[in-house]
Amino acid sequence: MASSRVVGLFSIVLICITIAQGRKALNTNNEFSASSLVNNDDGICKSMVETQGYTCEEHKVTTSDGFILSIQRLPTRRSGEKANKPTVLIQHGLFQDAVVWLWNSPDESLAFILADNGFDVWIVNDRASRYSSHTSLTPNDQINQLLQAYWEWSWEELANNDLPATVQYVYDHTGQKMHFVGDSQGSLMAFVAFSQGNLLNMTRSAAMLSPIAHMGRINSDATRLAAKLFLANYAYWLGIRQFLPNAAEGLMFLKHICDILGLDCVNLLTPFTGPNCCINSSRIDYYLEHEPQPTSTKNLIHYSQMIRTDTIARYDYGLLENLRRYGRVHPPNYELFAIPKDFHLFLGMGRLDMLADVEDVKFLLSYEFKNHDPNNLVQVLKENYAHADFIMSVTAKQDVYDPMIDFFNKQ
């Protein structure tokens, strides 16, 4: 019962589980070949990029707490012409890895689209990805204390350790300030880093897709219930530190939430993420070869805290531990209004998104960004988009990516 609230948190998990149970998605005639479905041991460059005719470089960077992150670079157009525009760093969301920026056709996948537009593209895999590792720990260590240590983190460590290490690495290699793209959890990581004044000296602008910040108005009943029931907390107390959504336990826990709410568990996607408009059903088996990726139970506890308190705060350890760590009863907030008013921001939102829901984004804009220079804050609202459409839609190029590229070109 504990881990089900995990699943209610973010879209990609639910997409994958829903798809596995037979959900019908949008059919299109774009039958992009799945011939690049190869062994993940080959790495993303060899299995996902070079197969499509692009040059690709594999890189690794080590975080301050010992995680070794895998990064891929696309330095040229498909034609082989070298990039002549600034660097773009792309950060995936929860339960994902960098494959999500490559898994549709080159005409539909953001990393390929940016490369063909002349940008120097870098895509990063966070610490939970199968492509990342650790200097001394392993995700499936047989020694329980080491296993628990590997998964003892939340989005706060991603924002304060993973993202700074990645941005610094890319900056050191290119010598130029970069554009940033973050989807869902990726946007939260950047918001938190920028609010502390970090990385701004290396960043030209940021595009946040399905932006996650305040979550107190989230309109997914299933997700809200899971947070209210403290389900991830119970899992943590039982010693469950890693959550893998497509495991049998994940499916069982998700079904439990659906049963409580009387939801149709054959059609799980809509109750959690909203009705995604534009997913290519012919690609579903291909998506399931790559996603979802695991996350830590502690990360899901942190999201539950955000939903219950409507704050963007440091992890709440409870009264005594908070006093020891923070010198106060309640954890301090991350104040996004501290992001400089002249920093260039692009927000891509979906009217039907039930995770980065419109009301929460409106609150973000009216509270945190009320004094932000409107000339430096671009908003794109897609009436028919839900949470997963920003990475999976077959029409995302014209709907979101082209306006985002126009935004980048003006900076």
Side-chain angles (χ1 to χ4, degrees), residues 36-82:
S36 57
L37 265 179
V38 299
N39 194 323
N40 288 324
D41 292 340
D42 288 337
I44 291 177
C45 275
K46 185 175 180 181
S47 64
M48 300 290 295
V49 182
E50 293 173 3
T51 53
Q52 302 305 319
Y54 292 81
T55 299
C56 187
E57 302 170 1
E58 293 279 0
H59 294 258
K60 291 188 181 295
V61 62
T62 303
T63 68
S64 58
D65 52 351
F67 284 90
I68 304 170
L69 311 181
S70 169
I71 307 172
Q72 289 71 43
R73 182 189 191 184
L74 285 67
T76 69
R77 301 173 192 255
R78 194 176 195 176
S79 65
E81 181 183 353
K82 188 175 180 180

Side-chain angles (χ1 to χ4, degrees), residues 22 70 85 182 187 215 239 282 352 393:
S70 169
K85 293 182 180 179
S187 66
M215 300 185 73
S282 72
L352 304 181
S393 169

Side-chain angles (χ1 to χ4, degrees), residues 273-290:
T273 69
N276 297 285
C277 69
C278 308
I279 298 172
N280 183 352
S281 63
S282 72
R283 301 286 292 157
I284 284 171
D285 289 341
Y286 183 78
Y287 299 150
L288 288 170
E289 283 286 328
H290 295 283

